[in-house]
Amino acid sequence: MKNITLNIDKVTGFVSREQILALEPQVKRAQQALEEGTLPGNDFLGWLHLPSSITKEHIEELKATAQTLRENCEVVVVAGIGGSYLGARAVIEALSNNFAALLGDNNGPRVIFAGHNISEDYLFELTEYLKGKKFGVINISKSGTTTETALAFRLLKKQCEEQRGKETASKVIVAITDAVKGAARITADKEGYKSFIIPDNVGGRFSVLTPVGLLPIAVAGFDIEALVNGACDMEKNCAPEVPFEENIAAMYAATRNALYADGKKIEILVNYQPKLHFTSEWWKQLYGESEGKENKGIFPASVDFTTDLHSMGQWIQEGERTIFETVLSIEKPNSSLTVPSDEENLDGLNFLAGKHVDEVNKMAELGTQLAHVDGGVPNIRISIPELNAYYIGQLLYFFEIGCGISGYILGVNPFNQPGVEAYKKNMFALLDKPGYEEESKAIRARL
Ligand code: PA5
């Protein structure tokens, strides 16, 4: 089995290899702090050795629950937001057919998402779509009290019970939440839902390899064992005892910190496969919520190429030189399609005849890399041998451990998110939530 690889050759014209390697002591300190739990955030390190601690029995239990949902539902709605949503969506989209939503095949239920916005139109259209359908729900919330998710779940629970009866509904609603606290736990216990626990020491954005990600991925019909195996192999490949220069997560963390110190404040995650759009969304949350604090942190952005070369390409080529790119490059496509020859050649594309479409994509990728480097944009390249569950598992763990190391190099606690409370406090005050009377008065005085 091959591995994901990291190439920083196109960075060293901006920061030297020596500058990156000089960060080894900080990397070692970060790795040691993660292993020994000696820095702030040490109560949220359950993800660190999670892949290697997942048992066969746990996988079997997840697969059995997934099978129940697959057998009894045409649609499964996954309700969750942030870390309780993005990992599952990232993996499902990466592994699904681009046109899965239109195919309507009979390969298990359609998995759709809710609870990640408060759009009346979205929720109305969702309830309309679900009318008359045999649907189930996976309600995911670690706190069990997140407004977006709780609101969607209230609607979905009611509709499911009305359409399928309370008894059947209780068999096709699954909760993934805290072991004891929160409204989602109280409801699950009262209604007798099958439930899974999100470990206390795993934060939302690091929870994709818990049931939060694994159950929806299994319901969508993908191989969670292969995903976990990939993560497990990456856990070994990125262990602290692996020499710095061979440890791709350590090198990634060091490289991005060296670039940040050199004034590169924005990292753009680039893909050349539309299926990776939500992988970028997951990555943005992972790095943004982990590092953006104390007025520090690289801003994580993303683009889908070549699509966005026709929109953001101009900015990247010639805008303010505060960016670097990290490219996710899939070495081998899963399908085969060549450009046909055309006798008339009206479009002038016969020079491509016989070539694989992927070869054209790869030349776009190479040409873009060189152009952007020429334009002053350092380029990190992550090569993924193939888009399958095993390599996605490798990629997820690579980014998680890279994030833990990087956050500690930066000098922040990568495992809290105090900043996300501010909007909630204002929203609750504006909605007159009981307990927010003083805040309500204060905020209204500002309007
Ligand atoms: O990473 C995080 O901690 C957050 O993004 C949470 O996952 C998100 O806010 C949802 O929280 P909860 O799972 O408690 O509903």
Side-chain angles (χ1 to χ4, degrees), residues 130-144:
L130 293 172
K131 268 187 192 159
K133 294 203 169 63
K134 287 186 355 193
F135 77 91
V137 185
I138 305 177
N139 186 34
I140 309 179
S141 177
K142 187 173 182 199
S143 62

PDB file of all heavy atoms in Angstrom, residues 130-144:
ATOM      1  N   LEU A 130     -39.228  15.469   2.332  1.00  0.00           N
ATOM      2  CA  LEU A 130     -39.353  14.240   3.120  1.00  0.00           C
ATOM      3  C   LEU A 130     -40.790  13.724   3.193  1.00  0.00           C
ATOM      4  O   LEU A 130     -41.018  12.590   3.625  1.00  0.00           O
ATOM      5  CB  LEU A 130     -38.823  14.473   4.544  1.00  0.00           C
ATOM      6  CG  LEU A 130     -37.313  14.729   4.653  1.00  0.00           C
ATOM      7  CD1 LEU A 130     -36.937  15.132   6.074  1.00  0.00           C
ATOM      8  CD2 LEU A 130     -36.508  13.495   4.228  1.00  0.00           C
ATOM      9  N   LYS A 131     -41.736  14.567   2.751  1.00  0.00           N
ATOM     10  CA  LYS A 131     -43.139  14.157   2.828  1.00  0.00           C
ATOM     11  C   LYS A 131     -43.355  12.833   2.106  1.00  0.00           C
ATOM     12  O   LYS A 131     -42.966  12.677   0.944  1.00  0.00           O
ATOM     13  CB  LYS A 131     -44.040  15.233   2.217  1.00  0.00           C
ATOM     14  CG  LYS A 131     -44.528  16.218   3.269  1.00  0.00           C
ATOM     15  CD  LYS A 131     -45.544  17.181   2.703  1.00  0.00           C
ATOM     16  CE  LYS A 131     -45.753  18.304   3.710  1.00  0.00           C
ATOM     17  NZ  LYS A 131     -46.304  19.499   3.098  1.00  0.00           N
ATOM     18  N   GLY A 132     -43.980  11.885   2.796  1.00  0.00           N
ATOM     19  CA  GLY A 132     -44.303  10.593   2.174  1.00  0.00           C
ATOM     20  C   GLY A 132     -43.110   9.666   2.042  1.00  0.00           C
ATOM     21  O   GLY A 132     -43.222   8.568   1.503  1.00  0.00           O
ATOM     22  N   LYS A 133     -41.942  10.088   2.494  1.00  0.00           N
ATOM     23  CA  LYS A 133     -40.749   9.227   2.354  1.00  0.00           C
ATOM     24  C   LYS A 133     -40.469   8.503   3.656  1.00  0.00           C
ATOM     25  O   LYS A 133     -40.709   9.029   4.746  1.00  0.00           O
ATOM     26  CB  LYS A 133     -39.529  10.075   1.974  1.00  0.00           C
ATOM     27  CG  LYS A 133     -39.636  10.692   0.602  1.00  0.00           C
ATOM     28  CD  LYS A 133     -38.258  11.028   0.050  1.00  0.00           C
ATOM     29  CE  LYS A 133     -38.331  11.388  -1.421  1.00  0.00           C
ATOM     30  NZ  LYS A 133     -39.125  12.583  -1.712  1.00  0.00           N
ATOM     31  N   LYS A 134     -39.942   7.307   3.523  1.00  0.00           N
ATOM     32  CA  LYS A 134     -39.524   6.559   4.712  1.00  0.00           C
ATOM     33  C   LYS A 134     -38.146   7.091   5.114  1.00  0.00           C
ATOM     34  O   LYS A 134     -37.132   6.688   4.558  1.00  0.00           O
ATOM     35  CB  LYS A 134     -39.443   5.065   4.377  1.00  0.00           C
ATOM     36  CG  LYS A 134     -40.840   4.475   4.225  1.00  0.00           C
ATOM     37  CD  LYS A 134     -40.951   2.988   4.030  1.00  0.00           C
ATOM     38  CE  LYS A 134     -39.766   2.150   3.876  1.00  0.00           C
ATOM     39  NZ  LYS A 134     -39.963   0.802   3.405  1.00  0.00           N
ATOM     40  N   PHE A 135     -38.148   8.038   6.055  1.00  0.00           N
ATOM     41  CA  PHE A 135     -36.842   8.604   6.397  1.00  0.00           C
ATOM     42  C   PHE A 135     -36.459   8.345   7.855  1.00  0.00           C
ATOM     43  O   PHE A 135     -37.312   8.075   8.697  1.00  0.00           O
ATOM     44  CB  PHE A 135     -36.789  10.105   6.058  1.00  0.00           C
ATOM     45  CG  PHE A 135     -37.486  11.027   7.025  1.00  0.00           C
ATOM     46  CD1 PHE A 135     -36.801  11.586   8.093  1.00  0.00           C
ATOM     47  CD2 PHE A 135     -38.834  11.365   6.836  1.00  0.00           C
ATOM     48  CE1 PHE A 135     -37.442  12.446   8.976  1.00  0.00           C
ATOM     49  CE2 PHE A 135     -39.481  12.227   7.722  1.00  0.00           C
ATOM     50  CZ  PHE A 135     -38.784  12.764   8.792  1.00  0.00           C
ATOM     51  N   GLY A 136     -35.155   8.380   8.097  1.00  0.00           N
ATOM     52  CA  GLY A 136     -34.607   8.252   9.443  1.00  0.00           C
ATOM     53  C   GLY A 136     -33.719   9.455   9.738  1.00  0.00           C
ATOM     54  O   GLY A 136     -33.456  10.279   8.848  1.00  0.00           O
ATOM     55  N   VAL A 137     -33.272   9.566  10.967  1.00  0.00           N
ATOM     56  CA  VAL A 137     -32.476  10.732  11.368  1.00  0.00           C
ATOM     57  C   VAL A 137     -31.298  10.279  12.215  1.00  0.00           C
ATOM     58  O   VAL A 137     -31.442   9.403  13.078  1.00  0.00           O
ATOM     59  CB  VAL A 137     -33.325  11.725  12.213  1.00  0.00           C
ATOM     60  CG1 VAL A 137     -32.526  12.998  12.511  1.00  0.00           C
ATOM     61  CG2 VAL A 137     -34.639  12.074  11.528  1.00  0.00           C
ATOM     62  N   ILE A 138     -30.131  10.869  11.957  1.00  0.00           N
ATOM     63  CA  ILE A 138     -29.006  10.722  12.888  1.00  0.00           C
ATOM     64  C   ILE A 138     -28.800  12.105  13.495  1.00  0.00           C
ATOM     65  O   ILE A 138     -28.429  13.055  12.782  1.00  0.00           O
ATOM     66  CB  ILE A 138     -27.718  10.247  12.182  1.00  0.00           C
ATOM     67  CG1 ILE A 138     -27.984   8.945  11.408  1.00  0.00           C
ATOM     68  CG2 ILE A 138     -26.616  10.017  13.206  1.00  0.00           C
ATOM     69  CD1 ILE A 138     -26.767   8.444  10.623  1.00  0.00           C
ATOM     70  N   ASN A 139     -29.091  12.221  14.769  1.00  0.00           N
ATOM     71  CA  ASN A 139     -29.012  13.513  15.447  1.00  0.00           C
ATOM     72  C   ASN A 139     -27.655  13.612  16.154  1.00  0.00           C
ATOM     73  O   ASN A 139     -27.383  12.870  17.086  1.00  0.00           O
ATOM     74  CB  ASN A 139     -30.150  13.619  16.468  1.00  0.00           C
ATOM     75  CG  ASN A 139     -30.213  14.984  17.110  1.00  0.00           C
ATOM     76  OD1 ASN A 139     -29.914  16.000  16.477  1.00  0.00           O
ATOM     77  ND2 ASN A 139     -30.610  15.033  18.377  1.00  0.00           N
ATOM     78  N   ILE A 140     -26.804  14.512  15.669  1.00  0.00           N
ATOM     79  CA  ILE A 140     -25.427  14.571  16.189  1.00  0.00           C
ATOM     80  C   ILE A 140     -25.162  15.912  16.867  1.00  0.00           C
ATOM     81  O   ILE A 140     -25.197  16.971  16.233  1.00  0.00           O
ATOM     82  CB  ILE A 140     -24.398  14.385  15.044  1.00  0.00           C
ATOM     83  CG1 ILE A 140     -24.740  13.138  14.214  1.00  0.00           C
ATOM     84  CG2 ILE A 140     -22.987  14.273  15.624  1.00  0.00           C
ATOM     85  CD1 ILE A 140     -23.810  12.888  13.053  1.00  0.00           C
ATOM     86  N   SER A 141     -24.900  15.860  18.152  1.00  0.00           N
ATOM     87  CA  SER A 141     -24.510  17.075  18.867  1.00  0.00           C
ATOM     88  C   SER A 141     -23.812  16.674  20.156  1.00  0.00           C
ATOM     89  O   SER A 141     -24.399  15.985  20.983  1.00  0.00           O
ATOM     90  CB  SER A 141     -25.747  17.933  19.177  1.00  0.00           C
ATOM     91  OG  SER A 141     -25.372  19.063  19.915  1.00  0.00           O
ATOM     92  N   LYS A 142     -22.571  17.103  20.290  1.00  0.00           N
ATOM     93  CA  LYS A 142     -21.821  16.731  21.497  1.00  0.00           C
ATOM     94  C   LYS A 142     -22.441  17.399  22.720  1.00  0.00           C
ATOM     95  O   LYS A 142     -22.689  16.754  23.731  1.00  0.00           O
ATOM     96  CB  LYS A 142     -20.355  17.119  21.349  1.00  0.00           C
ATOM     97  CG  LYS A 142     -19.532  16.602  22.509  1.00  0.00           C
ATOM     98  CD  LYS A 142     -18.056  16.802  22.339  1.00  0.00           C
ATOM     99  CE  LYS A 142     -17.361  16.189  23.559  1.00  0.00           C
ATOM    100  NZ  LYS A 142     -16.011  16.677  23.733  1.00  0.00           N
ATOM    101  N   SER A 143     -22.710  18.698  22.601  1.00  0.00           N
ATOM    102  CA  SER A 143     -23.299  19.419  23.735  1.00  0.00           C
ATOM    103  C   SER A 143     -24.761  19.029  23.895  1.00  0.00           C
ATOM    104  O   SER A 143     -25.325  19.090  24.979  1.00  0.00           O
ATOM    105  CB  SER A 143     -23.202  20.925  23.496  1.00  0.00           C
ATOM    106  OG  SER A 143     -23.942  21.263  22.336  1.00  0.00           O
ATOM    107  N   GLY A 144     -25.365  18.663  22.779  1.00  0.00           N
ATOM    108  CA  GLY A 144     -26.788  18.309  22.801  1.00  0.00           C
ATOM    109  C   GLY A 144     -27.686  19.519  22.891  1.00  0.00           C
ATOM    110  O   GLY A 144     -28.906  19.381  23.048  1.00  0.00           O
TER     111      GLY A 144
END
